[in-house]
Amino acid sequence: MAAIINTNGPNSSAKTKKQATRITFIAEETLPPPRTQKILSKRKFAPRMSRREYAEIQQRKRNMENAELLEETPARVLDGFLLLEACGVEFPDEASRADLQEMGLTSATGEDLKFFTNLVYVDVGDNSLPLESFGPLPALEELHIHCNMIKKISSTKGFPCLEILDLSYNKITKDGVAKLMKLPLLRVLDLTCNSLNSLPPLLTDFKTLEVLSLERNRLEREETLLALSSCPNLRELNLSHNFFRGIPASVVGSATRSGAGGFRLLEWLNLAHN
């Protein structure tokens, strides 16, 4: 902002006034105000927590998320009406394939399943169903029941025609594997990622088993290999992502009293990532 100040009197001539005129700048109104920045205090970090404390916090968070998920997904029962809808048919004997993945199923009505006399394929992955629920299906040949949080197999009653069974990503134990040996026609068994660290001492009762996947478990003992070598008709075996360090000569030359053992019919073996 500039101000014009005349230093001559009122009777001065125009020439004198022009020469005596002086321009004065007012600094407070002409210059912009100085830029100032507030200095922040030094950040204070919280003390570092231990690994145990961090793990407990993460576990509580997961528990809360699981509880919310259970509240959002109401429990559902697999009955005849739901199975008809999944198969897209009007009558039970018209159903042949059923896809029931991620439907929040927790149990099944066995009396209804008996009427599905031609249902040969069922996929119920990502539910919370027990294996025993599907025993009443009279013609079932292929069952995919992965990711169902199965920890225990109490019975394998039924399953007269079951040949292919996918139990991957559950929590099957050694006792559960022993129960599976009672399935009369089982040819293909997938036990990928079940946290298995041992198997029954003999698997000779897997009389029809030809393909077995034990990928991503915790198997490492020589006794496990001895048990696997006793499968009488095993042709394909996947043991990748376990903890084996080798195949001892005793495993290759082993034999039971009945003559089984030594992987007699094995054609394909995967031992990657051990």
Side-chain angles (χ1 to χ4, degrees):
M1 179 68 70
I4 302 176
I5 302 175
N6 190 349
T7 56
N8 298 305
N11 299 326
S12 301
S13 62
K15 184 178 180 180
T16 305
K17 289 180 180 179
K18 186 176 181 180
Q19 293 177 350
T21 301
R22 186 177 65 204
I23 300 174
T24 304
F25 289 93
I26 302 174
E28 292 80 1
E29 299 182 8
T30 305
L31 299 177
R35 295 182 179 180
T36 59
Q37 185 176 2
K38 186 178 180 180
I39 300 176
L40 300 176
S41 60
K42 187 176 180 181
R43 174 179 284 184
K44 296 180 180 180
F45 291 93
R48 183 178 180 182
M49 67 178 67
S50 64
R51 291 185 178 180
R52 182 178 179 180
E53 293 173 335
Y54 178 77
E56 291 176 352
I57 292 173
Q58 294 299 316
Q59 185 61 43
R60 286 198 295 269
K61 183 178 178 181
R62 286 192 293 268
N63 292 340
M64 292 176 62
E65 291 175 351
N66 292 336
E68 293 176 358
L69 183 62
L70 291 174
E71 291 178 359
E72 294 175 359
T73 307
R76 299 183 66 183
V77 177
L78 176 60
D79 57 13
F81 295 105
L82 183 59
L83 199 51
L84 285 173
E85 182 182 351
C87 297
V89 297
E90 187 176 356
F91 300 103
D93 58 354
E94 298 175 345
S96 60
R97 296 175 64 89
D99 190 341
L100 297 151
Q101 296 188 67
E102 300 181 20
M103 297 189 68
L105 301 172
T106 57
S107 62
T109 306
E111 292 297 325
D112 291 359
L113 301 187
K114 293 179 181 179
F115 295 100
F116 290 80
T117 54
N118 294 314
L119 187 61
V120 296
Y121 176 95
V122 174
D123 189 339
V124 288
D126 292 285
N127 286 287
S128 299
L129 289 164
L131 176 65
E132 298 81 8
S133 301
F134 300 92
L137 286 171
L140 184 63
E141 297 178 1
E142 184 171 347
L143 174 61
H144 295 264
I145 192 169
H146 52 279
C147 301
N148 271 256
M149 298 182 290
I150 299 175
K151 296 181 180 179
K152 184 179 179 181
I153 298 176
S154 58
S155 172
T156 54
K157 184 179 180 181
F159 301 103
C161 302
L162 188 64
E163 297 183 7
I164 300 173
L165 177 59
D166 180 2
L167 278 166
S168 59
Y169 296 93
N170 285 290
K171 296 183 179 180
I172 305 298
T173 63
K174 177 177 67 173
D175 295 335
V177 176
K179 293 287 181 61
L180 294 175
M181 284 192 279
K182 297 180 181 180
L183 295 173
L185 300 179
L186 189 64
R187 292 189 304 104
V188 180
L189 176 60
D190 190 347
L191 291 172
T192 297
C193 201
N194 270 270
S195 300
L196 282 165
N197 56 20
S198 63
L199 295 175
L202 284 176
L203 302 178
T204 50
D205 288 340
F206 272 129
K207 297 179 181 179
T208 58
L209 189 65
E210 297 179 2
V211 179
L212 175 61
S213 178
L214 291 165
E215 182 182 356
R216 297 184 186 277
N217 282 285
R218 300 175 181 175
L219 302 171
E220 60 179 333
R221 302 174 185 173
E222 181 178 341
E223 292 81 359
T224 300
L225 293 171
L226 285 167
L228 290 169
S229 72
S230 68
C231 276
N233 292 298
L234 191 63
R235 298 181 183 276
E236 297 185 12
L237 176 60
N238 188 349
L239 292 174
S240 62
H241 294 276
N242 279 279
F243 298 92
F244 294 109
R245 297 188 178 185
I247 304 294
S250 58
V251 172
V252 180
S254 66
T256 63
R257 292 179 179 178
S258 60
F263 296 107
R264 295 185 307 160
L265 301 179
L266 194 66
E267 300 174 355
W268 183 86
L269 174 64
N270 188 350
L271 278 167
H273 303 284
N274 274 277

